[in-house]
Amino acid sequence: MSLSDRSTSYTASRWGLSGSELSYSGLLSGCKASASPRLRSIPTLNDEITTQYGVTLASLDTVLSCAEFVSIHVPLSAETEYLVGAREFGPMNPSAYLIDTARGAVVDEEALVCALQQGPIAGAALDVLTQEPPASDHPLLHLDNVIVMPYAASVSVESRQAARQDVCDAVTALLSGQWPPFVVNQMVTPRFLLAS
């Protein structure tokens, strides 16, 4: 995989499926992303960010009813505990997938099991469950339409090699007086002068 391929993939995953400023994001057909900044603790997306990454702001119900993939990225707090339950699964498409890489208790697991067994959703990918490690008889571990990872889904030989290479490239760029290619908060760059 070339650096340009990795850059494109990174952008798509950070904004098409995730992003720390999104409480929910949906990847729509045609790779268009929509988001619902539902939580008070999540900063509102500004026009510059939504335009740059092609994110359309929509109500939560619109995102849930249109999305093929709904990816959750919120911290666990009193405000987010059981944030996704039967009410949220109701408007989802029968072809939709839920992706939870946040915290297990953000999703009502009983409602998820019901939604996976009886509809309306097609499947789920979970990087974490409420109880870790889960009991061997946990129903989510025995459904054919669920992938459960041990909160380490990104760990692979390739991802570790890519991370090491990215760090080396970033250090090399900084030592050469340039900004690394993956500066997440671009707003800080004008405040710092780099030595050349």
Side-chain angles (χ1 to χ4, degrees), residues 39 74-84 103-108 130:
L39 305 174
V74 295
L76 180 59
S77 68
E79 188 179 14
T80 63
E81 189 172 19
Y82 303 115
L83 180 69
V84 180
R103 295 290 184 257
V106 170
V107 176
D108 178 339
T130 301

Side-chain angles (χ1 to χ4, degrees), residues 17-95:
L17 292 177
S18 68
S20 60
E21 294 181 325
L22 305 180
S23 61
Y24 288 80
S25 64
L27 184 63
L28 307 177
S29 60
C31 294
K32 294 183 180 179
S34 64
S36 175
R38 173 180 173 181
L39 305 174
R40 290 186 309 275
S41 60
I42 308 286
T44 302
L45 296 172
N46 63 41
D47 290 339
E48 180 183 340
I49 291 173
T50 57
T51 300
Q52 180 179 359
Y53 293 101
V55 175
T56 302
L57 293 181
S59 70
L60 178 60
D61 286 339
T62 299
V63 170
L64 292 173
S65 66
C66 294
E68 292 297 320
F69 299 93
V70 174
S71 185
I72 305 163
H73 304 269
V74 295
L76 180 59
S77 68
E79 188 179 14
T80 63
E81 189 172 19
Y82 303 115
L83 180 69
V84 180
R87 182 220 168 287
E88 288 73 26
F89 292 125
M92 291 177 70
N93 289 319
S95 59

Side-chain angles (χ1 to χ4, degrees), residues 72-151:
I72 305 163
H73 304 269
V74 295
L76 180 59
S77 68
E79 188 179 14
T80 63
E81 189 172 19
Y82 303 115
L83 180 69
V84 180
R87 182 220 168 287
E88 288 73 26
F89 292 125
M92 291 177 70
N93 289 319
S95 59
Y97 290 85
L98 176 75
I99 302 166
D100 181 11
T101 59
R103 295 290 184 257
V106 170
V107 176
D108 178 339
E109 291 176 0
E110 286 183 33
L112 176 58
V113 169
C114 184
L116 290 163
Q117 290 177 332
Q118 301 169 15
I121 67 172
L126 310 170
D127 195 30
V128 65
L129 297 172
T130 301
Q131 178 70 36
E132 292 286 345
S136 61
D137 63 345
H138 193 298
L140 288 170
L141 300 178
H142 302 282
L143 295 175
D144 291 338
N145 54 349
V146 178
I147 296 171
V148 179
M149 297 296 296
Y151 205 60

